[in-house]
Amino acid sequence: MSSRYIPYGRHFLGPDDIQAVVDILNSDWLTQGPMVQQFEQAFASLCGVRYAVAVSSGTAALHLAALAAGFAPGDEVITSPITFVASANCVIYVGAKPVFADIDPKTGCIATDQILAQLTPATRGIIPVHFAGQPCDLAAINTIAREHDLIVIEDAAHALGSSYTVDGHHFKTGCCAHSDMTIFSLHPVKHIAAGEGGVITTNNKKLYDQLCLLRSHGIVKDPERLSANEGPWFYEMQVLGFNYRITDFQCALALSQLKKLDAFVTRRRDIARTYKKAFQDEAALGLIAQRPEVSSSFHIYVILALGLDRADLFNALRERGIGVNVHYIPVHLQPYYRNKFGYRAGDYPLAEEYYRHAITIPLYPAMTNDDVARVIESVRQSIKSLLQ
Ligand SMILES: *Cc1c(COP(=O)(O)O)cnc(C)c1O
């Protein structure tokens, strides 16, 4: 086996993906051309949702979703402490307060009963994060949201291609059957790559119109939606928006990658199955459980160092050329969050306990079986040498 460094994640581009970008570079449009809409339509149809809005990043998608949701100063929005900082930062962007609900330690996803415990009269929304690619309990979250008049924005940056079942009915993540909006990321480490990019899906026409408006400076050109019309040049800036547009060549890449999604997810699931088989009887390790109602698309694979020190195992794997990582440092413990909101160690004990043990091992579709075997062997050897 080679001793090449195996990263924790990486994109896969085929010659067809590269050609798709070259074709656009040779066309009349680099941005705001036909590929954006083509990609949006393909993405919406894949998710089984009415509308998809492509934007410049997953973070931009979260920001626009938080704005379209109407979150504002004085509001509280609940999300998971075990996520990338962007899931919570979007709440601060719009002047509202991010509040965390502790996780279900079995899945790493936000726990429904912990959401209930965090509700206050100021709560306006929930941003459940489908951690590692496993959908949260959306039916339960949707029930809470309806009872308390809350907006639900799914952060599905990890979960393109995943699905879940409610009362025997099958749902694809992003279909928004149990939420108002869902966001995705097209960062190369996620399921499909656009360089940078993000998508928001929704079934709500009003939200869709608002998202499109906010994506491009809040500027309206459609004569039917202008309050006045001084001529063919006329446009109005009706709300304060941004330039969060994605380019045509990025959408050409994303559209080409979308055709590979099934194969990507199938390979990710294969590798996850192999890891599970290899590690489930390893006494020093814990694994993330999969709820029977879901089918994860496995953005990452986390092992929990239980019978040994996490840092020791992490370092031993890095020394063997295995690109391990940690997902995530609990967001409430970041200095900015401590200083601004007064969060402290001990506030979310289950998230903190999970974090103390978590190690992400390599998982991406282009991993060879030899790569997978080398990761497994390296984990086993490292544990053995550390427990000696
Ligand atoms: C990657 C990620 C984001 C942000 O996406 P970008 O495209 O990198 O801006 C948001 N939430 C989660 C959970 C992520 O993993």
Side-chain angles (χ1 to χ4, degrees):
M1 275 186 253
S2 80
S3 56
R4 183 172 59 83
Y5 184 80
I6 304 178
Y8 88 89
R10 81 165 264 133
H11 59 278
F12 172 81
L13 299 186
D16 50 335
D17 296 317
I18 292 164
Q19 190 56 49
V21 177
V22 170
D23 289 347
I24 295 303
L25 295 179
N26 284 319
S27 81
D28 289 337
W29 304 96
L30 292 188
T31 189
Q32 292 180 287
M35 294 315 294
V36 178
Q37 229 181 6
Q38 273 186 44
F39 170 64
E40 287 175 339
Q41 280 167 4
F43 197 94
S45 128
L46 184 126
C47 291
V49 70
R50 250 177 238 143
Y51 309 105
V53 180
V55 294
S56 53
S57 71
T59 304
L62 281 163
H63 185 185
L64 294 191
L67 276 171
F71 300 152
D75 295 347
E76 293 179 0
V77 180
I78 298 172
T79 190
S80 172
I82 295 298
T83 185
F84 185 54
V85 291
S87 313
N89 287 351
C90 69
V91 177
I92 310 175
Y93 293 162
V94 300
K97 181 185 177 190
V99 170
F100 300 96
D102 215 340
I103 59 167
D104 175 347
K106 290 196 286 298
T107 62
C109 286
I110 197 167
T112 313
D113 54 335
Q114 302 280 354
I115 295 175
L116 286 171
Q118 295 296 336
L119 292 175
T120 74
T123 310
R124 292 287 174 274
I126 310 171
I127 305 179
V129 180
H130 302 320
F131 182 69
Q134 169 164 216
C136 298
D137 188 349
L138 285 170
I141 290 170
N142 187 237
T143 302
I144 297 173
R146 273 183 317 205
E147 276 169 10
H148 297 88
D149 199 17
L150 310 176
I151 299 264
V152 178
I153 302 169
E154 297 171 58
D155 182 339
H158 293 190
L160 181 59
S162 66
S163 60
Y164 59 98
T165 310
V166 178
D167 298 331
H169 295 282
H170 196 67
F171 298 95
K172 287 180 188 167
T173 298
C175 75
C176 298
H178 301 91
S179 67
D180 297 281
M181 289 171 273
T182 305
I183 75 92
F184 297 89
S185 166
L186 308 176
H187 183 279
V189 88
K190 309 285 165 67
H191 290 80
I192 64 165
E196 298 282 355
V199 181
I200 310 139
T201 60
T202 185
N203 288 311
N204 182 316
K205 176 77 162 63
K206 263 199 188 139
L207 289 174
Y208 172 70
D209 288 341
Q210 192 68 7
L211 292 166
C212 292
L213 194 60
L214 290 166
R215 168 174 62 180
S216 200
H217 308 282
I219 286 179
V220 175
K221 290 178 185 153
D222 178 1
E224 298 201 344
R225 293 168 57 207
L226 295 173
S227 65
N229 193 347
E230 300 175 3
W233 64 86
F234 202 66
Y235 62 83
E236 285 178 342
M237 184 192 128
Q238 296 183 344
V239 296
L240 182 63
F242 302 86
N243 179 355
Y244 279 167
R245 295 187 302 260
I246 189 168
T247 65
D248 243 39
F249 54 92
Q250 288 174 301
C251 283
L253 179 54
L255 182 60
S256 179
Q257 287 261 293
L258 206 54
K259 295 178 189 137
K260 299 184 167 70
L261 179 66
D262 272 355
F264 283 170
V265 171
T266 300
R267 178 64 182 151
R268 285 177 176 278
R269 287 177 178 153
D270 281 349
I271 296 169
R273 211 172 297 122
T274 306
Y275 280 154
K276 184 181 175 202
K277 237 187 258 161
F279 297 136
Q280 63 189 356
D281 298 322
E282 184 63 69
L285 296 182
L287 300 178
I288 299 240
Q290 300 295 316
R291 294 190 304 119
E293 306 83 3
V294 306
S295 184
S296 173
S297 54
F298 289 101
H299 163 52
I300 52 174
Y301 197 89
V302 174
I303 58 174
L304 301 166
L306 298 180
L308 70 175
D309 185 73
R310 188 264 305 269
D312 289 347
L313 182 56
F314 185 98
N315 292 330
L317 287 166
R318 278 279 175 99
E319 276 160 27
R320 285 165 202 264
I322 308 300
V324 285
N325 219 303
V326 171
H327 296 92
Y328 288 97
I329 302 162
V331 179
H332 69 283
L333 297 181
Q334 294 294 349
Y336 182 84
Y337 278 80
R338 291 180 192 248
N339 295 336
K340 189 169 169 78
F341 302 105
Y343 289 120
R344 288 175 304 188
D347 283 349
Y348 300 99
L350 299 171
E352 293 168 27
E353 175 68 9
Y354 158 86
Y355 163 65
R356 273 191 284 278
H357 301 289
I359 297 180
T360 303
I361 60 174
L363 173 60
Y364 51 93
M367 278 182 93
T368 64
N369 289 341
D370 278 355
D371 291 336
V372 176
R374 199 178 122 213
V375 172
I376 292 170
E377 203 42 40
S378 300
V379 171
R380 285 190 177 138
Q381 293 294 333
S382 300
I383 292 173
K384 217 166 132 192
S385 69
L386 289 168
L387 290 182
Q388 257 169 17

